[in-house]
Amino acid sequence: MGLESFLREAVLLLASAVVVVVVSVRLRVPPIVALLVTGVLIGPHGFGLVSVVEEVELFAEVGVALLLFTIGLEVSIERLRRLRRAFLVGGSVQVSLTTAGVTGVAMAMGLPWPRALFMGWLAALSSTALVLKLLRDRRETETPQGRLALAILLFQDFMIVPMIALTPALAGTLGVSASALAVRLGGAAVGLAVVLVLARRVLPRLLEVVVRSRVREVLPLGALALSLGMGWLTHSFGFSLALGSFLAGILLSGSNYTHQVIADVAPFRNLFSGIFFISIGMLLDIGWVASMPGPVIAVAAGVVALKIAAAGVAVAVLGYPARTTLLTAMAVAQVGEFSFVLMEVGHANGLLVDDRFQLVLAAAVVTLLATPAVFGASGAAARALAKLVPYCASAEDARAAAHKSDHVIVVGYGVGGRLLTRVLRESGIPYVVVELSNELVRLGRSTDEPMLYGDATREEILEAAGIERANVVAFVIADLEAVKLGVGIARRLVPAAQIIVRTRLVSEIEGLLEEGADQVVAEEFETAIEVFTRVLERYHVPRNVVRAQTRVLRGEGYQMLRSPILRGSVSQAVVDALAAGTTDVYMLGSDSTVAGRNLRELELRARAGATVIAVVRDGSSQLNPEPGLSLEAGDCLVLVGSHQEIDRAFDHLAALETGEGSA
């Protein structure tokens, strides 16, 4: 193929992808699906705009390698440590049950066990990219279901490595013993061990050399060389290019430069992985799919149902209640992007023949298309399931709220919840904590906290916490939907209780107030108020004026800040304070070189324009001090002047204390 033909088809491919993705955003279709549709439209089974499918697949393989490389980069030991139980137990149960279920069904339909097992692997993987995007859009990444979904997805991402490594051997197992599979898997394990040794001993030194060059382009070039070089190495040993890139990502994940490498490599990853999904779409025969809609939909529905059941069992094993279980299970019910990677490997090795390949490929695309709808219906389904499952209080739960009255119910034992309980404990205010995470409940009980395990969106849990006798209910959890449900139930049960809610964004305040919250503390506004406070302090606005303004801004649920236009703006007191002079205090350090000098020698009025109106020493004030007053270490000088004069005085005094100035 000549250069002109290659450029023409490359332009058609990229331009088509841009148009389809832009349209998909407006239709709220996931970008992955849009790229698949692009491949269908421009491929040989569509309009035939691109004919060099083999060349596109070469770029696609690089895209898969870079995708796995960045996954490896993002797998930090600290992240896995925090999710270790959900990762190991939940992930392994979900993958095992899904694989076993699909394998059993496929074998019952007459497939030999290698092909049936491969089908199970394809179904076991979910879409990390799509699920995390939906969780971020709904601001649920830090909710229990968000953390559980992330743990399961990370485990699946790990499993793609042995699955890819074993697929070529699995394709030849009609005449090969199971021991051959074990040997190949053992080879992958040995490779991992070697890589981990290299990561600890060699890579840090190499990275230091690269970074010391101070040439920005060197780091991404080195990262790409490492990714593709490791891919070439594993490929030469009979494994896949993607496996080596994944190991290279793990190599770099523990370094100090991980985030910069991710940022530098991301454009290449997005471009080439986008080409990969387009190449998969090119393989989809839309005519065949149109002639077989029933089997496609049946397979897709069966996979979704089986994955919901398998993930539900996995989360239930971890001890989470019905609502969280179903929310997590429905989040990971689709077939993922790595299934397409594995599908291509299986197709190349003969595990998927043409018709079966088309059926599996089409069903996988349908599950992705259905994911936003399944995700959106999960809330109502979870609430309905929770009503059907009875609540049984344990002995520890019963003791937590026993004999408490006029107490505070703290919903959530994260960072905010732990800070609140510490203050309540030190203040002698009775409280009980309602928490959904088994790990956090165990943590709290280990320090004798009154912990009640359960879901605060259930009436029985709030009643077990003694809500009828409570004075305050404080919601300090990140799950907005759960907060709304809990606030509504709490308000209905005890109309007189004070309900205080922590939330993140301005857009969430109105809905929470409508549900019955008395006060909503918005992190977004509190951050803005903190910045506002520090700016005014920098301009020496009196503290009482600053405090008055923060009260105004917090009043009526941040109504001033929530208005599209700041009507009335900040009070005239701030304007007057900024226009007029002000006062401030400068404290001499314990080893200050100014000590021993008198006020006249400092020449503050001449050099800065500010005046010392008092000197505070040992708790007593000397007003209108004499110019000859000798200063001592620890003295506080009370200065008056304009804002600029105060700043100049501070700079002058600081220079004197460091020996850089003269008086």
Side-chain angles (χ1 to χ4, degrees):
M1 170 179 251
L3 177 62
E4 183 178 347
S5 299
F6 173 79
L7 289 176
R8 178 183 65 81
E9 297 205 353
V11 169
L12 284 171
L13 185 151
L14 296 175
S16 301
V18 169
V19 172
V20 175
V21 171
V22 168
V23 172
S24 74
V25 170
R26 293 184 177 274
L27 298 176
R28 298 190 175 184
V29 174
I32 292 174
V33 176
L35 293 169
L36 291 168
V37 171
T38 301
V40 172
L41 293 176
I42 67 176
H45 301 292
F47 294 111
L49 300 178
V50 175
S51 59
V52 286
V53 178
E54 293 78 10
E55 284 79 358
V56 172
E57 288 178 348
L58 287 176
F59 285 109
E61 192 166 358
V62 174
V64 173
L66 292 178
L67 189 61
L68 278 167
F69 176 61
T70 53
I71 290 293
L73 284 171
E74 292 168 353
V75 176
S76 69
I77 301 301
E78 175 60 26
R79 194 178 198 184
L80 290 179
R81 189 190 66 79
R82 286 187 281 110
L83 299 170
R84 60 186 179 277
R85 187 165 179 267
F87 173 83
L88 293 172
V89 178
S92 61
V93 171
Q94 184 272 335
V95 170
S96 299
L97 289 180
T98 305
T99 301
V102 173
T103 301
V105 171
M107 290 181 67
M109 296 177 66
L111 285 182
W113 74 265
R115 290 194 175 98
L117 178 59
F118 184 73
M119 293 290 189
W121 288 353
L122 292 177
L125 304 175
S126 305
S127 176
T128 303
L130 182 54
V131 173
L132 292 185
K133 180 182 184 304
L134 291 172
L135 287 171
R136 280 194 294 267
D137 290 346
R138 288 173 49 155
R139 294 185 290 279
E140 293 183 6
T141 52
E142 293 304 317
T143 62
Q145 63 267 23
R147 291 191 294 270
L148 287 165
L150 174 61
I152 292 172
L153 291 167
L154 283 176
F155 185 86
Q156 294 174 357
D157 291 342
F158 263 91
M159 290 306 297
I160 186 63
V161 178
M163 287 177 182
I164 289 176
L166 288 171
T167 295
L170 193 66
T173 52
L174 294 176
V176 178
S177 66
S179 60
L181 291 178
V183 169
R184 188 162 182 92
L185 187 58
V190 171
L192 274 171
V194 172
V195 164
L196 291 175
V197 172
L198 289 174
R200 296 188 63 178
R201 301 194 176 183
V202 178
L203 187 62
R205 298 175 187 174
L206 292 176
L207 283 177
E208 288 293 338
V209 172
V210 169
V211 172
R212 276 199 218 105
S213 70
R214 298 179 181 271
V215 179
R216 183 173 181 178
E217 290 80 7
V218 172
L219 187 59
L221 287 174
L224 288 172
L226 179 64
S227 171
L228 298 179
M230 284 291 294
W232 169 76
L233 184 63
T234 55
H235 189 270
S236 65
F237 282 109
F239 297 101
S240 70
L241 174 68
L243 172 61
S245 291
F246 182 77
L247 297 179
I250 293 179
L251 271 172
L252 289 176
S253 65
S255 74
N256 296 324
Y257 314 107
T258 301
H259 298 295
Q260 186 59 49
V261 172
I262 292 174
D264 289 338
V265 173
F268 300 99
R269 175 200 64 190
N270 295 338
L271 172 62
F272 286 111
S273 62
I275 292 175
F276 165 74
F277 289 112
I278 292 174
S279 72
I280 291 295
M282 288 181 178
L283 300 175
L284 186 62
D285 187 344
I286 196 67
W288 184 92
V289 174
S291 67
M292 302 285 287
V296 170
I297 294 174
V299 170
V303 167
V304 169
L306 181 60
K307 294 195 73 172
I308 289 175
V313 172
V315 177
V317 166
L318 293 169
Y320 283 85
R323 178 177 177 274
T324 304
T325 296
L326 191 56
L327 286 174
T328 306
M330 293 181 74
V332 298
Q334 69 292 125
V335 174
E337 54 269 9
F338 284 140
S339 295
F340 295 109
V341 177
L342 192 59
M343 201 180 300
E344 180 67 10
V345 177
H347 183 57
N349 284 275
L351 282 172
L352 287 175
V353 295
D354 289 341
D355 283 354
R356 192 171 294 121
F357 176 75
Q358 292 295 331
L359 176 61
V360 173
L361 181 61
V365 173
V366 169
T367 66
L368 284 172
L369 284 169
T371 295
V374 172
F375 211 93
S378 62
R383 288 194 296 273
L385 178 63
K387 293 178 181 178
L388 299 176
V389 180
Y391 165 70
C392 298
S394 67
E396 292 89 346
D397 293 339
R399 285 195 296 270
H403 311 301
K404 282 188 170 63
S405 61
D406 198 32
H407 59 291
V408 178
I409 297 176
V410 180
V411 180
Y413 197 61
V415 175
R418 290 196 291 273
L419 179 60
L420 176 56
T421 57
R422 178 180 176 182
V423 173
L424 293 173
R425 180 186 289 261
E426 293 177 354
S427 303
I429 299 173
Y431 63 92
V432 62
V433 181
V434 178
E435 174 55 54
L436 195 56
S437 167
N438 275 318
E439 288 82 0
L440 291 178
V441 170
R442 282 195 292 269
L443 174 65
R445 286 176 178 166
S446 69
T447 57
D448 296 325
E449 292 279 22
M451 304 294 298
L452 190 155
Y453 169 76
D455 186 350
T457 64
R458 298 192 60 162
E459 186 173 323
E460 309 98 301
I461 300 294
L462 292 176
E463 288 175 345
I467 191 170
E468 296 86 355
R469 306 182 302 277
N471 187 20
V472 177
V473 183
F475 287 85
V476 282
I477 56 178
D479 190 341
L480 178 61
E481 182 67 21
V483 171
K484 285 184 176 180
L485 290 171
V487 167
I489 294 170
R491 176 57 66 214
R492 177 169 53 81
L493 292 175
V494 186
Q498 182 80 358
I499 300 177
I500 302 172
V501 178
R502 183 208 72 183
T503 189
R504 288 185 57 201
L505 302 176
V506 53
S507 57
E508 299 169 354
I509 294 176
E510 199 65 46
L512 291 167
L513 292 174
E514 290 175 358
E515 290 292 339
D518 294 293
Q519 297 182 47
V520 181
V521 180
E523 294 176 10
E524 189 177 31
F525 283 154
E526 287 301 321
T527 302
I529 289 173
E530 183 65 21
V531 173
F532 159 88
T533 300
R534 301 207 177 182
V535 169
L536 293 187
E537 288 176 350
R538 172 66 181 167
Y539 282 93
H540 309 290
V541 173
R543 288 186 177 88
N544 65 309
V545 175
V546 175
R547 285 195 295 269
Q549 293 312 304
T550 58
R551 284 195 298 270
V552 169
L553 292 174
R554 289 191 178 106
E556 299 181 2
Y558 310 92
Q559 188 60 47
M560 178 187 290
L561 290 175
R562 289 161 56 201
S563 301
I565 301 175
L566 293 179
R567 305 184 187 281
S569 65
V570 183
S571 76
Q572 191 63 34
V574 173
V575 179
D576 294 341
L578 290 170
T582 189
T583 61
D584 214 327
V585 179
Y586 187 94
M587 181 178 179
L588 302 180
S590 58
D591 56 350
S592 174
T593 58
V594 175
R597 301 186 184 187
N598 59 41
L599 290 173
R600 183 185 297 109
E601 291 174 330
L602 299 184
E603 299 180 331
L604 282 174
R605 179 175 286 277
R607 291 178 177 271
T611 302
V612 178
I613 61 172
V615 175
V616 180
R617 179 180 298 166
D618 298 329
S620 61
S621 302
Q622 300 182 43
L623 300 177
N624 300 316
E626 295 294 331
L629 176 67
S630 180
L631 298 173
E632 298 179 4
D635 282 352
C636 292
L637 310 183
V638 182
L639 304 168
V640 67
S642 68
H643 300 286
Q644 292 80 8
E645 290 168 345
I646 293 290
D647 285 338
R648 286 197 297 269
F650 273 46
D651 292 340
H652 178 57
L653 288 167
L656 290 176
E657 289 202 284
T658 58
E660 297 176 1
S662 60

